[in-house]
Amino acid sequence: MHPTPTPTPTPTPSRRQFALSGLVLGASALTGAHGALAADTHPAAPAQATGPIVLHGVSPRLTMHAVDTFHGSAATGLRIDFSRFDGETYVPIRSFVVNANGRADEPLLIDDSYRSGRYEMLLHVDEYFAAKGAKLPRPAFLSKVPVRFQIVNTAERIHLPIQFGPWSYTYSRGS
């Protein structure tokens, strides 16, 4: 009588082996019989460096959106002073309070008011965090945060997404 051989367990592939096999299968689907790219695939076009979007039929405008990264929410209630640089100093245009969506109720500049120049939004983050009852060291690390930018091409819409916390802030040009 011959002993029954014990079946050898099939090894389970590691994550790395599994990922690599997926890459191999994907690559084989893209290549033809001779290892070249299949005829129906095209390389991606180079990224366009044309700048922000020009919205045809919509007045160019300046908008903003503020997010409180400390609380992880829209910066509802943040006071912002908006000014234009006149060559010597920043001259106030208006002050506003950020709404429940983290935005100004209306565009900051639109139509005739949308002109090229240097601008500043002064965010009162110390008052904002105090009003929210945030338990932060006193005095606050950040108090009034300037967001300075330029409008060069008045045919382009500009949107300023702003993120801030008690110790840092960042903003960028959007469209």
Side-chain angles (χ1 to χ4, degrees):
M1 187 166 194
H2 295 261
T4 308
T6 333
T8 309
T10 307
T12 305
S14 69
R15 286 185 187 183
R16 179 174 288 169
Q17 289 169 324
F18 184 77
L20 288 174
S21 65
L23 289 172
V24 169
L25 285 172
S28 66
L30 291 175
T31 58
H34 303 290
L37 279 178
D40 62 344
T41 61
H42 302 285
Q48 299 288 329
T50 59
I53 298 169
V54 176
L55 298 174
H56 298 287
V58 177
S59 296
R61 62 194 66 205
L62 171 66
T63 56
M64 59 78 60
H65 184 211
V67 175
D68 168 0
T69 58
F70 185 70
H71 292 102
S73 62
T76 306
L78 172 67
R79 184 168 63 99
I80 298 177
D81 297 330
F82 182 53
S83 304
R84 186 176 201 283
F85 190 70
D86 72 355
E88 294 182 24
T89 186
Y90 283 93
V91 177
I93 296 174
R94 69 181 183 135
S95 290
F96 63 96
V97 175
V98 173
N99 67 22
N101 294 324
R103 304 172 190 278
D105 287 331
E106 59 209 29
L108 301 176
L109 299 172
I110 191 168
D111 297 327
D112 293 338
S113 70
Y114 191 72
R115 298 181 304 194
S116 60
R118 291 170 43 194
Y119 294 90
E120 176 186 77
M121 282 193 268
L122 189 64
L123 287 59
H124 296 263
V125 297
D126 54 349
E127 296 172 9
Y128 170 82
F129 285 118
K132 294 282 184 191
K135 305 242 185 285
L136 300 172
R138 295 282 180 223
F141 179 69
L142 294 177
S143 58
K144 309 295 186 253
V145 172
V147 173
R148 292 183 174 167
F149 58 95
Q150 290 189 126
I151 296 174
V152 177
N153 183 348
T154 57
E156 297 173 342
R157 179 185 191 271
I158 295 177
H159 178 73
L160 289 175
I162 303 167
Q163 296 179 347
F164 68 94
W167 301 280
S168 65
Y169 68 102
T170 185
Y171 61 101
S172 59
R173 179 182 179 167
S175 59

